[in-house]
Amino acid sequence: MLINSYCWCLPLILSAVLTSPASVATAFTLQMGLLKVGVPQPWPKSKKNLNYVREAGVRQFISTYNRVKDLKGDELLWGDEVEYGIFVLDEENKKIRLSLRAKEIMDNLNKNEAIHSYENEGCNWVPEYGGWMIEATPSRPYTGYSSDLLRVERNMRLRRKRLLTELRDGEIAPTVAVFPLLGAMGDDGSVPPTSVGGTVTESDYIGDGIINPHPRFAALSANIRMRRGEKVSIRVPLFHDTNTPEYGESAPCGGCGGESIL
């Protein structure tokens, strides 16, 4: 089970309805997590805006600091997040594959959450990097009362119960952040199958089709590769001694540039 150990005070979203020139918030809602859908810039284009982003970030930080530096006795708000992997069990062939239905499942869950938003306890479902991954948080933050400690396990159980209602026959959803066989199964590693490689990662091990369709994640992979000027190496160099004859007369791997990130 993956649980963040830090407080979620910063990511809390205050969605205010402003009704006066003085920007007085007359109504607001608290929601855990933030991931907006936008149009990410490719690395060559974003380089032109880096100085502006840095300067604007510093100005925003100073403005926020000046706004809240004198606050006292503010309410403690915190939360947790759990990451689930959606997998398909193939009992006949003794294989386990990625189920790329995370977005479909997440959309269905959030739709049902909206219908039952009047309930005291709920869940919030957000995308993660992989098309088989779902991240879940409580729909409203925990507070500083000791009674809220009892909400944590109760909400985790609620999240799992609701997630299981969306799974198909043969699908499982363990609370794991990684898939140990990722990149080791070729084109046969997911449902539906995805071909290895693609213009985003240019990977030798996985296909772009397993990345979550949210525009942030593909842009992240492509921009990391473009910024480096090469694919990220995942090879671990062997220690060069008498027990590593794989070296032969070749030089050690060094940086191993050119290997894939995934």
Side-chain angles (χ1 to χ4, degrees), residues 85-102 105 132 167-174 179 181 185 188-193:
I86 313 299
F87 308 121
V88 178
L89 297 180
D90 183 351
E91 296 185 4
E92 181 179 351
N93 297 301
K94 304 300 181 182
K95 286 187 176 182
I96 182 170
R97 299 179 177 88
L98 305 176
S99 174
L100 303 182
R101 294 203 310 119
I105 292 173
W132 71 96
L167 299 185
R168 295 174 178 171
D169 291 342
E171 288 183 333
I172 60 174
F179 180 56
L181 296 177
M185 301 177 66
D188 191 36
S190 64
V191 179

Side-chain angles (χ1 to χ4, degrees), residues 17 25 40 45 47 62 65 74 90 94 123 126 136 149 151 171 195 220 224 228-230 233 236 252-253:
V17 179
K45 186 176 180 180
K47 286 195 296 184
I62 294 174
Y65 172 75
D74 203 22
D90 183 351
K94 304 300 181 182
C123 314
V126 295
L149 295 175
R151 288 183 52 209
E171 288 183 333
S195 299
L220 176 67
I224 289 175
R228 289 174 57 91
E230 63 180 9
S233 171
V236 178
C253 171

Side-chain angles (χ1 to χ4, degrees), residues 44-143:
K45 186 176 180 180
S46 65
K47 286 195 296 184
K48 303 175 184 178
N49 301 317
L50 291 183
N51 286 335
Y52 168 77
V53 172
R54 294 188 184 102
E55 293 174 1
V58 171
R59 290 197 301 270
Q60 184 181 33
F61 174 81
I62 294 174
S63 175
T64 302
Y65 172 75
N66 288 330
R67 178 171 55 84
V68 303
K69 64 180 180 180
D70 296 322
L71 288 179
K72 295 181 179 179
D74 203 22
E75 183 181 15
L76 171 66
L77 301 175
W78 58 284
D80 76 89
E81 67 175 29
V82 178
E83 290 187 8
Y84 306 89
I86 313 299
F87 308 121
V88 178
L89 297 180
D90 183 351
E91 296 185 4
E92 181 179 351
N93 297 301
K94 304 300 181 182
K95 286 187 176 182
I96 182 170
R97 299 179 177 88
L98 305 176
S99 174
L100 303 182
R101 294 203 310 119
K103 184 179 185 304
E104 174 189 341
I105 292 173
M106 184 192 71
D107 289 345
N108 290 339
L109 288 169
N110 280 327
K111 184 184 301 182
N112 290 332
E113 295 291 343
I115 296 173
H116 300 282
S117 59
Y118 60 88
E119 295 182 2
N120 187 47
E121 199 72 74
C123 314
N124 183 45
W125 308 88
V126 295
E128 254 293 349
Y129 181 88
W132 71 96
M133 302 166 68
I134 298 179
E135 183 178 293
T137 68
S139 62
R140 62 183 181 88
Y142 309 130
T143 68

